[in-house]
C-alpha cells in the first residue's frame, strides 16, 4: 500500500463521523436485514451523508464476502459483500473498511450500503414512526 496516497481530512476535504440518534432500517427484497439505533453518520466533503451500521447489527446470514476491493486515500482499503435474499442477489452492495485510517477509525466494525443496490435505507429521526 506504500504506493497509494494517504490524505488527511482538512478544510478542503472535511470528514466527520458522529453517532446517529436515528433508527436505520435497511431492506433487501422485502427482508429487513438491518434495524439499528447504533449507526454512525459519516459526512465527507460535499457528498451525501453515509450511514455506517455495526456489522453485528446486520443479518450476516445474507452476506457473502466478495473479492472486490477499492481504495480511498482518506479512509483506506474497502472490501465488499453481496447480499442474497431468496433468489435475489445485490452484488457488492455493502462495503467495509476493515482497517480504516486513524481519522475515521470509528467506522471499524461498521458497514455501509449502496442505496441503489438495496431496496431501501430508511433513516428515521427520533419521533418518526415506521
Amino acid at each position: 500500500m506504500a504506493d497509494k496516497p494517504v490524505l488527511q481530512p482538512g478544510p478542503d476535504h472535511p470528514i466527520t463521523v458522529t453517532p446517529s440518534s436515528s433508527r436505520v432500517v435497511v431492506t433487501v427484497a422485502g427482508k429487513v436485514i438491518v434495524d439499528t439505533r447504533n449507526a454512525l453518520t459519516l459526512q465527507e466533503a460535499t457528498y451525501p451523508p453515509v450511514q455506517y451500521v455495526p456489522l453485528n447489527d446486520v443479518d450476516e446470514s445474507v452476506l457473502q464476502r466478495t473479492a472486490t476491493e477499492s481504495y480511498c486515500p482518506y479512509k483506506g482499503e474497502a472490501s465488499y459483500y453481496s447480499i442474497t435474499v431468496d433468489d435475489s442477489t445485490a452484488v457488492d452492495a455493502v462495503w467495509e473498511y476493515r482497517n480504516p485510517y486513524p481519522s475515521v477509525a470509528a467506522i471499524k466494525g461498521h458497514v455501509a450500503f449502496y442505496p441503489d443496490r438495496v431496496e431501501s435505507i430508511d433513516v428515521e429521526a427520533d419521533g418518526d414512526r415506521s
Side-chain angles (χ1 to χ4, degrees):
M1 212 164 44
D3 60 338
K4 295 183 180 172
V6 176
L7 301 176
Q8 293 295 317
D12 294 338
H13 194 98
I15 299 176
T16 58
V17 179
T18 55
S20 174
S21 61
S22 298
R23 178 181 178 204
V24 177
V25 179
V26 180
T27 306
V28 176
K31 178 179 177 142
V32 172
I33 63 166
V34 174
D35 187 345
T36 186
R37 287 193 174 273
N38 300 312
L40 299 173
T41 302
L42 185 142
Q43 179 65 60
E44 180 175 0
T46 59
Y47 300 114
V50 176
Q51 300 302 311
Y52 279 80
V53 301
L55 185 56
N56 291 339
D57 289 355
V58 180
D59 178 353
E60 292 187 60
S61 71
V62 301
L63 298 180
Q64 302 83 41
R65 188 173 291 283
T66 72
T68 304
E69 294 181 343
S70 65
Y71 179 74
C72 171
Y74 293 97
K75 296 186 290 289
E77 296 276 348
S79 56
Y80 290 78
Y81 297 89
S82 290
I83 304 167
T84 300
V85 174
D86 299 326
D87 295 328
S88 176
T89 298
V91 176
D92 292 336
V94 182
W95 73 90
E96 171 184 30
Y97 290 93
R98 295 173 83 187
N99 295 298
Y101 289 153
S103 62
V104 294
I107 64 172
K108 184 176 179 75
H110 291 66
V111 297
F113 297 81
Y114 282 109
D116 61 341
R117 297 184 191 177
V118 298
E119 186 176 326
S120 65
I121 302 172
D122 293 321
V123 180
E124 302 169 5
D126 284 337
D128 286 357
R129 288 199 234 172
S130 322

